Amino acid sequence: GQPDRRRRLAQVSFVGIGGCRSHFRMVVLEHGLGSLRLRWTKRALSFRTLATRATRSKTEVDRVKHVVAVASGKGGVGKSSVCVNLAFSVQKLGYKVGILDADLYGPSLPAMVPPEVGGAGPRGTKDGKIFPFIFHDAPLMSMGFLRPGDYSAIRGPMVSAMVQQMLTQTLWGDLDFLFIDLPPGTGDIHLTVSQQAEVDAAVVVTTPQQLSLLDVDKGIRMFDGVNIPTACIVENMSYFVCECGRRHDIFKRGAGEKLAERFGIDRYFRLPVDPAMGDMGEPFVLTDSILRSDAVASTFASLAQGTVQAVEELRQRSSVPEVLAEDDGTAIAVLLNGMRARVPSRVVRLNCQSAKMVDEFTGAKLFKEEDIATDVRVKTIATAGRYAVSIDWSDGHSSLFSYSLLDKVCAAHANTG
């Protein structure tokens, strides 16, 4: 007889180049246990519409007041170390915190907070909930706790299901902040987290190398694609302090600050190279070593304060400016709270801070004003999350203007009303 044929439908979303979103419906036809056949049909459905349409019941993560994702564009930048030490720095401010290690391919949390330090490992309940591992009054969860030493290859759908289970079925309790350590890059896990929890903000970790900073740009745009604002950028291993007390930059300085300015991210932090940060067994900010490293201690304290403040500001922010092209693209109008500012388009074009216009390290201009046509016009304006707009120009150039940069341009050149 004919083999059993079952039809399964799955929705898959991809964030493409430049933040473009393509959405497909995947039909899987299973023929017994032998093979499967895929058929793809493109759908015109935005990610945000998909997320809005998705209905989910209340889960354990809904008891958490604030969810903060910690991410990086590349591996090896110290993201997990920053995540753990940031969480316990926020705890020092009097908040209840938890940590989810969502990197199934290389979980780091057990190495920084080994199970023998905090007692028994996780246990399950009859209804499928998971008791978290507890350390220093903070609930923790990681695949490294559930399956120690098992880092085998896992396929995408299973990865998403496992992360969803740890995120939504762990008994987090009434936390003020849950910090989620995401795997490097962008992928299924990032999308799963954004769909299963209301993530308030992201903290992006990088190093001073230009290649790493380019990946930060991609990561910020990915978070924008799922409507998660980036609250802070952390440049790890940014410099070292020698015995004489002087700071030495390992790489050229300035590109990270320029990147933060371009995206309108006010909170930018530099962490030094400190050998004690690499010690395993306990979070650095909870050890005696922190007393001997003023630079690291003060930076983590400032990062904790900045993260808490940024999350609160983002919660209270009720509106963003409306940016419009006027007079056939020769002028740009900015409207907010009944106020209106109008700037000639060429003035805005001249203030673009992209890498083609301004040196990312020195801030020096890479163009001559006479090379920008006097009749340059706006072709399109599109919002970029809650922090910026992207503008396409008639001369083929594209700009990303943070609202803070637009505000500065308007203050210097606009007619207001």
Side-chain angles (χ1 to χ4, degrees):
Q2 293 293 324
D4 176 39
R5 295 181 59 176
R6 290 173 292 165
R7 191 178 183 90
R8 188 171 72 248
L9 179 66
Q11 178 73 44
V12 183
S13 300
F14 299 93
V15 179
I17 297 173
C20 297
R21 292 177 291 279
S22 300
H23 304 275
F24 298 85
R25 175 176 284 176
M26 181 175 67
V27 179
V28 183
L29 301 178
E30 298 182 1
H31 296 269
L33 300 177
S35 63
L36 56 84
R37 178 161 53 91
L38 307 181
R39 184 169 74 247
W40 299 87
T41 58
K42 192 165 184 177
R43 300 185 67 199
L45 179 67
S46 72
F47 180 84
R48 289 186 183 128
T49 303
L50 175 65
T52 302
R53 289 183 181 179
T55 58
R56 64 178 182 88
S57 57
K58 286 285 185 179
T59 64
E60 292 302 317
V61 74
D62 294 312
R63 297 178 61 184
V64 177
K65 291 181 181 178
H66 305 294
V67 178
V68 177
V70 181
S72 65
K74 301 182 77 68
V77 301
K79 166 186 56 63
S80 296
S81 179
V82 170
C83 179
V84 170
N85 285 285
L86 169 59
F88 285 106
S89 295
V90 171
Q91 186 189 63
K92 286 185 173 183
L93 299 177
Y95 296 98
K96 295 179 180 179
V97 304
I99 305 172
L100 169 62
D101 182 0
D103 189 352
L104 268 61
Y105 300 109
S108 302
L109 193 57
M112 291 181 283
V113 186
E116 59 267 25
V117 174
R123 295 169 287 110
T125 66
K126 292 182 179 180
D127 58 351
K129 302 296 176 62
I130 309 170
F131 288 106
F133 175 77
I134 305 293
F135 174 72
H136 210 266
D137 295 326
L140 315 173
M141 182 51 61
S142 170
M143 186 54 63
F145 292 145
L146 298 175
R147 300 171 65 179
D150 185 3
Y151 304 135
S152 58
I154 310 172
R155 294 186 179 275
M158 186 178 293
V159 167
S160 297
M162 294 166 76
V163 170
Q164 178 179 339
Q165 183 177 13
M166 290 194 300
L167 175 64
T168 62
Q169 296 185 32
T170 298
L171 296 167
W172 297 111
D174 297 320
L175 297 181
D176 296 308
F177 286 90
L178 175 64
F179 291 88
I180 303 179
D181 182 9
L182 293 171
T186 58
D188 292 345
I189 291 177
H190 301 70
L191 296 177
T192 298
V193 169
S194 68
Q195 289 176 320
Q196 296 298 323
E198 294 184 10
V199 181
D200 293 272
V203 173
V204 178
V205 183
T206 183
T207 52
Q209 299 97 318
Q210 195 161 11
L211 184 60
S212 181
L213 290 166
L214 289 174
D215 287 322
V216 171
D217 184 299
K218 299 175 185 176
I220 293 173
R221 292 176 187 271
M222 184 279 298
F223 281 121
D224 167 57
V226 292
N227 205 26
I228 298 173
T230 299
C232 307
I233 295 178
V234 180
E235 187 178 277
N236 196 23
M237 296 176 278
S238 181
Y239 61 92
F240 73 94
V241 181
C242 71
E243 293 179 353
C244 67
R246 293 181 57 189
R247 289 189 178 191
H248 299 273
D249 292 324
I250 301 173
F251 296 92
K252 287 183 178 180
R253 182 178 177 180
E257 288 94 331
K258 281 290 179 184
L259 183 69
E261 182 180 345
R262 178 149 57 91
F263 282 97
I265 300 169
D266 298 328
R267 294 171 173 87
Y268 180 83
F269 302 90
R270 301 178 73 211
L271 277 168
V273 174
D274 192 312
M277 281 281 288
D279 293 343
M280 298 295 184
E282 192 171 359
F284 180 73
V285 297
L286 300 180
T287 65
D288 292 338
S289 298
I290 195 71
L291 302 176
R292 299 188 293 270
S293 181
D294 292 339
V296 177
S298 61
T299 301
F300 270 118
S302 298
L303 175 59
Q305 288 278 7
T307 301
V308 171
Q309 292 171 0
V311 169
E312 188 60 33
E313 290 172 6
L314 289 166
R315 285 261 176 157
Q316 293 178 355
R317 185 181 297 174
S318 58
S319 61
V320 296
E322 184 178 7
V323 184
L324 306 170
E326 294 186 342
D327 296 342
D328 197 26
T330 61
I332 292 177
V334 181
L335 295 82
L336 179 64
N337 298 330
M339 298 296 294
R340 185 178 188 277
R342 193 171 186 272
V343 189
S345 292
R346 186 170 185 269
V347 170
V348 179
R349 174 71 173 82
L350 290 171
N351 281 275
C352 175
Q353 301 294 305
S354 70
K356 293 182 179 179
M357 299 287 288
V358 177
D359 186 285
E360 292 184 332
F361 287 99
T362 66
K365 290 183 177 180
L366 302 178
F367 68 98
K368 296 179 180 178
E369 289 196 15
E370 55 266 28
D371 294 336
I372 307 300
T374 56
D375 62 347
V376 67
R377 298 167 181 263
V378 174
K379 290 182 65 178
T380 61
I381 298 177
T383 58
R386 288 180 268 184
Y387 63 87
V389 292
S390 59
I391 304 175
D392 292 330
W393 302 94
S394 58
D395 60 2
H397 184 71
S398 295
S399 302
L400 183 72
F401 274 87
S402 66
Y403 292 126
S404 58
L405 178 57
L406 271 179
D407 185 56
K408 293 177 182 177
V409 175
C410 289
H413 303 281
N415 296 318
T416 59

